[in-house]
Structures are given as structure tokens and as C-alpha cells.
């Protein structure tokens, strides 16, 4: 019996080159998009970073005014968690975010707490339920802050270019460069000790402003169909130095998935900042009550209610 020898087929070399070329183009595209969306290109006035863990702190770096803050938070204070989750201890937020598989909860919760946008968060992949009080002498560890940014044991929303730039900024800072802002609390009707957004906003209003947005002096109207989401969003926007002049109840926002920003001038810093912050579509139009009209869609409403 004759046995026919079957040769092993090989992928043609030109196909391998083509595949390698496609992968290179895709890789360059991903890098270019990450670079375009990075803080290096966006040129913000201030960056707010939450380090969540056994010692939870906010680090705020002023890029234009050279004023930097550090805030320590009590793990035992209860806070309102945007998204309809109710109130949780600060020390349990990481567990909640892990169970819900929504690490963005950390950024949104602390944004609501300080009434200003938290740009980046860093938290353990496997968080515990933490306890402990805040301190009036929070420590800034340059080595720890940078290493957590790149560690595989931590989760962050910072992309590679953001990480590199933040690491550079942190490497230039020392403990003495940071002014300490105290976390503020109050006793609730149920006897629990709650973080007080009201007291924190009253005492530190303006500390987290972006001066370029404030100088542009654009006014914003928010159109909503859930008031609680609109009030939280309003506090965060005003914490950036943008004035919110009206909250309008409108059915126009119902059934619309994405939020929409409308303005006659769609080239300004404020509208582009809001579009990036809340992932909104931008359209040209003539708002009647303000310079910019923000119509909340269902996604934004669910995130901030």
C-alpha cells in the first residue's frame, strides 16, 4: 500500500506581515486615542485623585495656581452613594464597588462628597471593609502614591499617559507642599455620623475651581426628570467654577439615553470640559435661559440619582 505523505501547510509570509501590520496600526490607534484623551492634551487647571484603601485620601494638585490639597476621610462616616444605593460607610465603598463591578462608584461618590469632579480613583482590586477615623495630619507618601498607580493589585481609571504624567507630578511634590483640608461630619436623625457635604461645601467652596472655566463665565441650565440627580450634578459642576443658573423639570430628557449639551458657541472650554466629564453629545443651538443647556439622559440620571 502506498502511503501519501501529507506536508504541513504553512501560512504565507505575506499574510504574517499583513497581520503584523494590522496589529501595529490598531496598537498605534489605541495609543493615539489614549494620548488625545489624556490630561497632557486636555490641559486642566487642577487634578483631583482619590486614593481609596486602609487610609483613604484625596490629593488635589493645582497645575496653574501651584496650590495643592490633601484630605483625609473617616472610614466610619456614612455617605450618600450616587446611583440610588443609599448610604454606606466610607470604609465599605470599595466592597460595594467590587460587588457591583462598578469602580466608577468611587469617583462619583467622592465627587458628590467634595462637590467637585474627581478625575481619577485608585483602589485595591480586592478591597476590605475598612474602619478608622480621619486625621488632621494626613501623610503624603510619594513612593506609595506612584507605585499604587502602576500596581496590578489596584484598579484605576487612569490610562497609561495619565499615569505617567501623574507620576511625574507626584514626584515633584513633598509633604510640605500640601495644605490639609479637614473632612467634616454631622450626626444624622438616625444617630449615625454622616459626612456632611453641606458643611464641606460651605467651608471649602472655590478651593477646587478651574480658573480657566471660571474666567470664561459660562452659565449652565440643567434639564432633568429626576431632581435628586440634577442637584448632585449641579453641585459638582459648580465645584469646577461653572455657574448653574437653573434646574428645569422637562420631559425632553425622558427616553433620551445620552446627555446633550446645546450652545451657540460649541468651541469654548466649558462645554468641552462638560462633554468629557459626563460623556455628552454636543450640538449647536440657542438656549434661552443660559449659555449652555445640559439635558440629562437616562444614563446620566441613573449614575447621579
Amino acid at each position: 500500500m502506498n502511503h501519501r505523505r501529507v506536508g504541513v501547510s504553512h501560512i504565507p509570509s505575506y499574510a504574517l506581515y499583513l497581520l503584523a501590520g494590522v496589529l501595529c496600526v490598531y496598537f498605534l490607534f489605541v495609543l493615539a486615542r489614549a494620548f488625545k484623551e489624556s490630561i497632557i492634551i486636555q490641559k486642566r487647571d487642577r487634578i483631583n485623585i482619590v486614593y481609596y484603601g486602609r487610609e483613604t485620601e484625596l490629593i488635589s494638585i493645582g497645575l496653574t495656581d501651584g496650590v495643592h490639597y490633601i484630605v483625609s476621610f473617616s472610614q466610619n462616616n456614612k455617605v450618600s452613594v450616587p446611583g440610588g444605593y443609599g448610604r454606606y460607610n466610607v470604609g465599605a465603598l470599595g466592597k460595594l464597588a467590587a460587588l457591583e463591578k462598578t469602580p466608577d462608584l468611587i469617583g462619583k461618590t467622592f465627587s458628590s462628597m467634595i462637590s467637585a469632579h474627581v478625575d481619577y480613583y485608585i483602589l485595591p482590586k480586592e478591597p476590605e471593609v475598612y474602619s478608622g477615623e480621619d486625621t488632621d495630619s494626613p501623610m503624603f507618601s510619594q513612593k506609595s502614591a506612584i507605585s499604587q498607580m502602576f500596581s496590578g493589585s489596584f484598579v484605576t481609571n487612569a490610562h497609561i499617559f495619565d499615569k505617567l504624567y501623574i507620576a511625574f507630578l507626584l514626584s515633584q511634590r513633598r509633604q510640605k507642599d500640601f495644605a490639609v483640608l479637614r473632612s467634616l461630619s454631622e450626626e444624622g436623625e438616625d444617630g449615625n455620623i454622616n459626612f456632611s457635604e453641606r458643611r464641606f461645601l460651605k467651608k471649602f467652596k472655590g478651593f477646587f475651581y478651574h480658573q480657566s472655566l471660571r474666567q470664561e463665565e459660562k452659565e449652565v441650565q440643567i434639564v432633568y426628570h429626576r431632581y435628586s440627580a440634577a442637584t448632585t450634578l449641579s453641585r459638582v459642576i459648580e465645584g469646577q467654577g461653572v455657574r448653574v443658573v437653573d434646574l428645569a423639570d422637562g420631559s425632553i430628557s425622558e427616553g433620551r439615553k445620552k446627555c446633550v449639551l446645546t450652545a451657540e458657541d460649541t468651541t469654548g472650554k466649558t462645554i468641552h470640559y462638560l462633554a468629557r466629564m459626563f460623556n455628552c453629545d454636543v450640538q449647536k443651538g440657542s438656549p434661552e435661559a443660559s449659555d449652555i443647556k445640559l439635558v440629562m439622559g437616562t444614563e446620566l440620571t441613573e449614575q447621579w440619582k
Side-chain angles (χ1 to χ4, degrees):
M1 180 180 294
N2 293 327
H3 294 279
R4 186 177 179 182
R5 187 175 181 181
V6 180
V8 179
S9 61
H10 296 280
I11 300 175
S13 58
Y14 70 84
L16 291 175
Y17 287 129
L18 179 61
L19 178 61
V22 170
L23 291 175
C24 285
V25 170
Y26 176 74
F27 180 69
L28 290 173
F29 170 76
V30 171
L31 281 180
R33 186 172 63 177
F35 184 71
K36 182 180 178 182
E37 295 175 353
S38 71
I39 50 178
I40 302 173
I41 297 298
Q42 293 175 9
K43 296 181 179 179
R44 300 176 187 176
D45 296 339
R46 178 167 294 278
I47 299 173
N48 298 321
I49 310 166
V50 164
Y51 282 86
Y52 181 87
R54 195 169 301 280
E55 294 180 0
T56 296
E57 296 175 345
L58 170 82
I59 292 176
S60 182
I61 301 175
L63 301 180
T64 54
D65 60 8
V67 179
H68 319 301
Y69 308 115
I70 186 168
V71 188
S72 170
F73 297 94
S74 170
Q75 308 283 20
N76 303 329
N77 284 174
K78 287 193 175 294
V79 297
S80 294
V81 182
Y85 291 96
R87 301 188 74 84
Y88 280 78
N89 282 10
V90 170
L93 292 176
K95 272 290 187 183
L96 174 64
L99 289 171
E100 294 293 320
K101 298 181 180 179
T102 312
D104 282 351
L105 275 179
I106 298 297
K108 288 182 173 60
T109 300
F110 282 91
S111 293
S112 175
M113 289 168 67
I114 68 170
S115 297
H117 183 59
V118 169
D119 302 285
Y120 302 103
Y121 54 80
I122 300 162
L123 71 155
K125 276 188 176 179
E126 298 181 1
E128 304 172 14
V129 175
Y130 306 106
S131 63
E133 296 298 332
D134 60 336
T135 173
D136 56 3
S137 301
M139 298 300 296
F140 168 69
S141 171
Q142 182 189 91
K143 182 178 179 181
S144 176
I146 294 175
S147 64
Q148 287 183 30
M149 184 77 64
F150 293 94
S151 172
S153 300
F154 288 80
V155 176
T156 178
N157 61 330
H159 298 301
I160 182 61
F161 292 111
D162 295 328
K163 291 180 180 181
L164 292 171
Y165 185 55
I166 293 169
F168 168 74
L169 293 175
L170 294 174
S171 70
Q172 306 300 305
R173 307 295 183 269
R174 300 294 184 270
Q175 179 76 39
K176 63 182 178 61
D177 297 325
F178 291 89
V180 176
L181 308 184
R182 283 304 306 268
S183 174
L184 299 171
S185 59
E186 59 188 2
E187 185 174 350
E189 295 180 357
D190 55 3
N192 289 317
I193 304 300
N194 302 322
F195 177 88
S196 178
E197 291 92 345
R198 177 187 60 81
R199 291 183 62 203
F200 193 91
L201 175 60
K202 183 178 180 180
K203 186 169 184 178
F204 300 120
K205 185 175 182 179
F207 279 52
F208 302 101
Y209 280 174
H210 287 236
Q211 292 304 320
S212 61
L213 302 182
R214 189 159 180 79
Q215 290 167 6
E216 198 173 52
E217 297 184 333
K218 296 296 184 182
E219 296 181 341
V220 176
Q221 178 195 42
I222 298 177
V223 180
Y224 66 91
H225 68 273
R226 186 181 284 268
Y227 183 71
S228 61
T231 55
T232 303
L233 203 68
S234 174
R235 283 193 294 105
V236 174
I237 291 174
E238 290 205 321
Q240 304 306 109
V242 180
R243 188 182 177 199
V244 177
V245 294
D246 183 47
L247 302 180
D249 186 2
S251 58
I252 186 173
S253 62
E254 293 185 23
R256 185 190 297 272
K257 188 175 182 180
K258 288 195 69 176
C259 64
V260 178
L261 292 162
T262 304
E264 288 186 351
D265 177 13
T266 58
T267 63
K269 292 181 180 179
T270 303
I271 193 167
H272 280 281
Y273 185 84
L274 294 175
R276 288 195 305 267
M277 189 192 305
F278 301 120
N279 191 27
C280 298
D281 291 332
V282 176
Q283 65 181 23
K284 204 170 183 64
S286 301
E288 296 179 359
S290 61
D291 301 303
I292 300 170
K293 179 169 69 176
L294 190 160
V295 178
M296 297 183 69
T298 55
E299 285 183 348
L300 199 61
T301 299
E302 288 300 311
Q303 291 169 3
W304 292 96
K305 68 181 181 181

